Amino acid sequence: MNSLLALAAPMALVFSGMVGDGVTQTKSSQLTEEASAQDAPKARAPSNRRAPSWVAMAASYLVPAFNQVRIEQRVILRISPRPSPVRQSMMADMPTRSEAQPRFLERDFGDCLPMASIGAVRAQQGDRLLLYLNDRRLILAQLEKACSSRDFYSGFYVERSGDGSLCVDRDKLLSRSGAKCSVSGFSQLVPAGS
C-alpha cells in the first residue's frame, strides 16, 4: 500500500500544479488583454516566466538508475566411465586354471571423498558404483534405495561443493539420463590377505 501511495503522490502534485498554473495563466492573460486594449501603443515587455513548480517537484522524485551485476560461478565435474582395455585376442581375457581372480574385502570408509581424486566410475550390480581413485584405490559408493546403478553406465555429473568433497547424504549425482541420486555410504575395497 505504501508503494502505491508513493507512486500516486507525485502524480497528484503534477496534476494540482497543472490546474493551479492554468488558473494563474488564464487570469494573467485576461489582465494583459485588458492592459493591451488600454495601452495599445506601448510595446510589450518580454515575460521572464520560470518553470512551473510541479516540474521541480517531479524532478526531485526521480531516482537515479543504478545497474547491478551479479556474478555467479558454478563448477560441474563430469566423472566418465573407465575405458575398457583393448583386447589383443579373444583368449587374452580368459583366466587360466592356475590363475585365480583376485578377491576383495570391503572396509569402512569415511563420509566424504575428495572430488578431485575420482578418476573414473563403473556401474556395478544393484545400487553400487565402483569409483577408481587417482591413487589406485577402489571405493564402492552405495546409492540411495530408489536409485539404480544402471542409470550411471555413462558416468555422472556432480556440482563442486565449497569444500571440494563428495559427501554422504549431501551431494547429488546426476546421470546423463536424468537420474538424480545421493550417496548413502562409502566403502573401500582392499585385496584379501593384505
Side-chain angles (χ1 to χ4, degrees):
M1 185 66 182
N2 291 338
S3 62
L4 181 61
L5 184 61
L7 290 174
M11 296 304 286
L13 290 173
V14 168
F15 183 74
S16 66
M18 288 172 57
V19 170
D21 284 344
V23 169
T24 57
Q25 284 178 357
T26 54
K27 286 182 182 178
S28 65
S29 64
Q30 288 174 355
L31 291 175
T32 49
E33 286 176 6
E34 291 172 3
S36 64
Q38 293 172 1
D39 302 326
K42 291 182 180 178
R44 268 193 190 168
S47 65
N48 292 337
R49 269 190 50 192
R50 51 184 201 134
S53 62
W54 60 270
V55 173
M57 280 193 243
S60 68
Y61 282 102
L62 293 177
V63 178
F66 295 105
N67 294 328
Q68 293 183 358
V69 177
R70 182 188 302 191
I71 299 173
E72 294 182 5
Q73 184 176 7
R74 187 174 174 194
V75 178
I76 298 178
L77 301 175
R78 178 173 188 251
I79 309 298
S80 58
R82 183 175 184 207
S84 59
V86 179
R87 294 186 177 180
Q88 299 287 334
S89 68
M90 293 298 282
M91 301 299 282
D93 287 339
M94 296 187 65
T96 61
R97 290 184 184 172
S98 62
E99 288 183 35
Q101 293 291 331
R103 294 184 43 91
F104 291 96
L105 299 174
E106 289 185 38
R107 288 192 184 158
D108 286 336
F109 193 75
D111 288 340
C112 291
L113 175 70
M115 289 183 194
S117 68
I118 302 172
V121 64
R122 181 173 286 170
Q124 298 294 303
Q125 291 181 352
D127 55 356
R128 292 177 158 202
L129 296 175
L130 182 61
L131 303 175
Y132 295 92
L133 302 187
N134 293 332
D135 59 0
R136 296 183 173 241
R137 288 185 293 171
L138 297 174
I139 303 294
L140 272 177
Q142 179 78 33
L143 299 175
E144 59 188 353
K145 291 183 180 181
C147 294
S148 173
S149 64
R150 288 180 290 177
D151 295 333
F152 297 91
Y153 71 94
S154 64
F156 62 87
Y157 297 98
V158 63
E159 187 171 350
R160 187 177 179 92
S161 60
D163 60 355
S165 297
L166 176 65
C167 292
V168 172
D169 296 328
R170 183 187 75 178
D171 300 310
K172 296 276 187 186
L173 307 179
L174 179 65
S175 72
R176 292 185 72 175
S177 63
K180 198 173 201 179
C181 300
S182 63
V183 178
S184 62
F186 289 118
S187 60
Q188 183 177 1
L189 291 179
V190 293
S194 62

